[in-house]
Amino acid sequence: MEIPDMSHYGKCRMMMRKHERHHMLRFKLVAFLMLINAYGYIHSPIEHVFIYSVITLAISLFAVPEKPKLLAITCILLLIGIIGNLIRLYFGIPMLLLFLSQIPETKQAV
């Protein structure tokens, strides 16, 4: 019986921890920006902005690098929010860029 090469396990574990730290940092930044966005928003009823923010944050929490479909859904939701005037442009673009910066990590994780 052949013994598998496990020399890369340490590197993979470090990479996964780094991805987890980056993901939580992204999530905290987006949660903060969503809170600020919803606090003073006047274009749409606050209920719509609140519901949209909760749904987007819930999906983005689970959009780790190992789940690229959830990352795509999060980016699409952010685009819809920007276009639909649920997110102010100066909050929406940084949030979208934060999640787009996760794409290299997603490719690395796969």
Side-chain angles (χ1 to χ4, degrees):
M1 190 164 118
E2 190 175 321
I3 299 173
D5 179 23
M6 293 187 258
S7 62
H8 69 285
Y9 281 16
K11 181 182 176 187
C12 288
R13 184 177 40 242
M14 287 175 41
M15 180 182 64
M16 288 176 67
R17 286 183 182 158
K18 182 180 86 171
H19 290 178
E20 184 179 328
R21 280 193 316 271
H22 290 171
H23 172 69
M24 288 312 295
L25 179 63
R26 278 186 203 97
F27 176 75
K28 289 174 184 177
L29 286 170
V30 168
F32 178 71
L33 291 173
M34 282 283 195
L35 181 66
I36 293 172
N37 182 66
Y39 177 70
Y41 213 76
I42 57 174
H43 295 320
S44 297
I46 191 67
E47 296 85 21
H48 295 126
V49 175
F50 179 75
I51 292 169
Y52 166 79
S53 297
V54 168
I55 291 170
T56 303
L57 284 175
I59 292 173
S60 69
L61 178 62
F62 298 106
V64 294
E66 293 81 17
K67 298 179 181 176
K69 290 180 183 176
L70 289 179
L71 175 62
I73 291 170
T74 302
C75 291
I76 291 169
L77 282 173
L78 288 171
L79 277 173
I80 290 171
I82 292 168
I83 293 169
N85 212 16
L86 294 171
I87 301 176
R88 293 181 191 132
L89 194 59
Y90 51 88
F91 288 136
I93 290 175
M95 284 189 260
L96 184 60
L97 291 175
L98 279 171
F99 280 103
L100 289 176
S101 71
Q102 186 174 327
I103 291 174
E105 289 182 1
T106 301
K107 289 180 181 178
Q108 193 179 37
V110 172

